[in-house]
Amino acid sequence: MTDFNSTRFQPATLQLTGFPGQEAVYHWIAVLFIVLYITAVVGNCLVLCIVWADRQLHRPMYLFICMLSINDLGMSLSTLPTVLATFFFCFTNIKFDACLSQMFFVHFFSFMESGILLAMSFDRFVAICNPLHYAAILTPTTILRIGLAIVIKSASMIFPLPFLIKRLPICKSNVLSHAYCLHPNLMTLACADTTVNNIYGFSALLITYGLDSLFIILSYIKILKTVLNITSKEQRLTALNTCVSHICAILLFYVPTSAVSVLHRFGKNAPLLVHILMSYIYLFVPPVLNPIVYSVKMKEIRKTIFQVFSRGTV
């Protein structure tokens, strides 16, 4: 029998789920996740160390990349305990309050990533459309204020979610669909009206992802207009090349995020495996691939990495 809180009708623990029916190969799945976590942590830490060590990289573009790496580390670490416990140790229980805490941080870092990508698009907009005032506009103080604004906005948008879940009686089941906690998944366990949760959750997504993506698109429309007005083909290509890594990061984040949001709200008849896979892609792809993209596309970071490894082989 599930141990329920007698006053709030909430289970003391929830049951995490990996890949139903694949329990026999959980140890191999665990190895895959360990590789992904190590890649994400090492890659993002490497980017942070390179920017920290090279004073020439203490420029707005690289400071925003550091913000993205710190956020990706936070996202990876927020899911690591339950994912590895589920697949490596087959331990699937999580306390209800711990699940709410994990839900908060998973959504918080996701909202943070959207805000950081918007800030990076503003950086590219100023660098290409107003290069003479680039240093004057994006001062260290301004960058710090942008970072604080992103943190405050993301935290304030996510803050009500745990309380909105707390008010619901959880009595349909205590079994989650993933090896971590998400707000839409927790809502499905409630045996009460979840209209408020649905409206607030959708509004938060619209205000965050919707507005951020809209401003990113507008920034790149302006960037594209400016680049097309450059007479030199080489200068046009150089200007566009500085945006390639950022565009890749945008696609790596927004494509899986949009797919997960659509599935949760409109794809209820889709196979459970599709929901599970898309949720893992949404959480694991950006932290793993972002440092790889920036290491490959950013000449200064790539050069420093080659120097570090060449010294190590001497």
Side-chain angles (χ1 to χ4, degrees):
M1 294 290 290
T2 303
D3 182 17
F4 280 87
N5 182 302
S6 60
T7 59
R8 294 183 181 271
F9 301 101
Q10 292 164 347
T13 60
L14 295 172
Q15 197 81 15
L16 301 170
T17 303
F19 291 96
Q22 303 299 319
E23 288 80 7
V25 293
Y26 268 14
H27 56 288
W28 292 113
I29 298 175
V31 171
L32 173 61
F33 279 119
I34 289 172
V35 171
L36 291 175
Y37 278 122
I38 291 174
T39 303
V41 171
V42 172
N44 285 290
C45 286
L46 185 61
V47 170
L48 289 171
C49 291
I50 287 171
V51 175
W52 177 270
D54 192 343
R55 296 188 63 84
Q56 293 182 351
L57 300 183
H58 292 184
R59 304 199 301 270
M61 177 171 60
Y62 295 99
L63 295 179
F64 285 124
I65 291 174
C66 286
M67 287 186 192
L68 189 64
S69 291
I70 292 171
N71 188 78
D72 285 342
L73 284 171
M75 177 64 86
S76 296
L77 296 176
S78 65
T79 60
L80 184 147
T82 55
V83 170
L84 291 189
T86 299
F87 291 104
F88 200 73
F89 300 106
C90 294
F91 183 79
T92 58
N93 290 333
I94 182 172
K95 290 185 178 180
F96 184 78
D97 288 337
C99 186
L100 293 182
S101 298
Q102 185 183 54
M103 177 197 73
F104 174 88
F105 284 109
V106 169
H107 291 297
F108 169 72
F109 287 120
S110 180
F111 277 28
M112 279 274 292
E113 184 133 355
S114 179
I116 293 169
L117 291 173
L118 174 59
M120 295 173 78
S121 71
F122 177 68
D123 167 77
R124 290 300 84 208
F125 168 78
V126 176
I128 294 173
C129 301
N130 199 0
L132 296 178
H133 297 91
Y134 180 69
I137 295 174
L138 287 172
T139 63
T141 302
T142 301
I143 294 171
L144 179 61
R145 288 174 179 171
I146 290 173
L148 288 174
I150 294 171
V151 172
I152 293 170
K153 178 193 172 187
S154 301
S156 61
M157 294 299 294
I158 299 301
F159 183 75
L161 291 185
F163 299 100
L164 289 175
I165 292 294
K166 271 274 193 181
R167 72 183 182 85
L168 296 174
I170 307 297
C171 51
K172 283 185 179 178
S173 171
N174 73 324
V175 180
L176 297 169
S177 302
H178 311 293
Y180 44 82
C181 301
L182 295 175
H183 177 251
N185 194 191
L186 284 166
M187 277 196 304
T188 63
L189 305 183
C191 52
D193 186 14
T194 59
T195 301
V196 174
N197 292 67
N198 275 309
I199 292 174
Y200 184 82
F202 183 75
S203 299
L205 288 175
L206 193 63
I207 292 170
T208 303
Y209 298 148
L211 288 180
D212 287 353
S213 59
L214 176 62
F215 286 128
I216 289 172
I217 291 170
L218 292 176
S219 296
Y220 271 98
I221 290 174
K222 183 64 176 177
I223 288 170
L224 188 59
K225 287 181 178 178
T226 302
V227 170
L228 292 177
N229 288 329
I230 299 174
T231 54
S232 172
K233 182 179 179 180
E234 290 184 0
Q235 290 180 343
R236 286 202 301 268
L237 290 175
T238 300
L240 288 174
N241 192 52
T242 64
C243 301
V244 171
S245 54
H246 179 236
I247 292 172
C248 290
I250 291 171
L251 294 175
L252 288 173
F253 175 75
Y254 277 108
V255 172
T257 299
S258 301
V260 168
S261 298
V262 171
L263 274 174
H264 273 303
R265 282 163 177 79
F266 307 109
K268 293 181 180 179
N269 295 325
L272 178 61
L273 183 61
V274 174
H275 286 268
I276 295 173
L277 286 175
M278 287 307 304
S279 293
Y280 282 113
I281 291 171
Y282 147 71
L283 289 178
F284 284 94
V285 166
V288 171
L289 293 186
N290 278 340
I292 296 174
V293 168
Y294 280 104
S295 298
V296 171
K297 296 302 299 180
M298 305 296 288
K299 183 175 67 176
E300 292 84 353
I301 294 178
R302 185 172 67 248
K303 179 181 176 182
T304 306
I305 291 175
F306 285 148
Q307 288 176 347
V308 170
F309 282 99
S310 62
R311 288 173 188 170
T313 56
V314 173

